[in-house]
Amino acid sequence: MTFLGIGTAFFWGHSPYEGLAGAGVALLCSLPVEVFRAIRMGDVKLLMAAGALTGPTVALWSVLLGVALNLVYGVAVLAWKGRLRRLLSFYKDKNAEATIVAYGPALAVAVLIARFWKG
């Protein structure tokens, strides 16, 4: 998907080099978040594809907004399901079972906000 975004970048109003830069910015900005196990590599690839389609500025804002939105969204979902305590034990005990909150909805909203706000 990332290569498709880079290849069709001119349809979105920028050069393939901007698409490549957008994918690179998304990768470099989302990998530190992945190291803390806040997102998965599939989400990183999704952000890279969005960055390839929209360019580096929107990619940067998409990562930042995605983290902020998922923090609010994730805590709300975990509180609603009564799993906040389980999340805190996961960071203390590395052998504890993970509590996963879908990151895709927050990323989709973040990319749309960044695209129409900064793009």
Side-chain angles (χ1 to χ4, degrees):
M1 185 68 179
T2 302
F3 293 116
L4 182 63
I6 293 168
T8 60
F10 59 91
F11 289 121
W12 295 91
H14 56 271
S15 72
Y17 297 112
E18 275 188 277
L20 186 61
V25 165
L27 176 67
L28 290 176
C29 291
S30 59
L31 275 181
V33 181
E34 196 276 332
V35 168
F36 289 111
R37 301 189 314 183
I39 63 174
R40 305 291 176 143
M41 284 306 292
D43 299 320
V44 172
K45 291 185 281 186
L46 177 64
L47 281 168
M48 287 176 59
L53 288 171
T54 58
T57 304
V58 175
L60 174 65
W61 282 104
S62 296
V63 172
L64 296 174
L65 287 171
V67 170
L69 288 174
N70 199 52
L71 179 65
V72 173
Y73 168 72
V75 169
V77 167
L78 292 176
W80 179 262
K81 292 183 177 184
R83 295 185 181 171
L84 270 178
R85 189 172 295 158
R86 186 173 164 193
L87 175 71
L88 296 175
S89 68
F90 176 69
Y91 282 103
K92 290 179 185 175
D93 180 15
K94 298 298 180 186
N95 295 325
E97 184 181 340
T99 299
I100 307 269
V101 175
Y103 207 90
L107 288 180
V109 171
V111 169
L112 288 174
I113 290 171
R115 174 73 175 112
F116 291 111
W117 178 44
K118 289 291 183 185

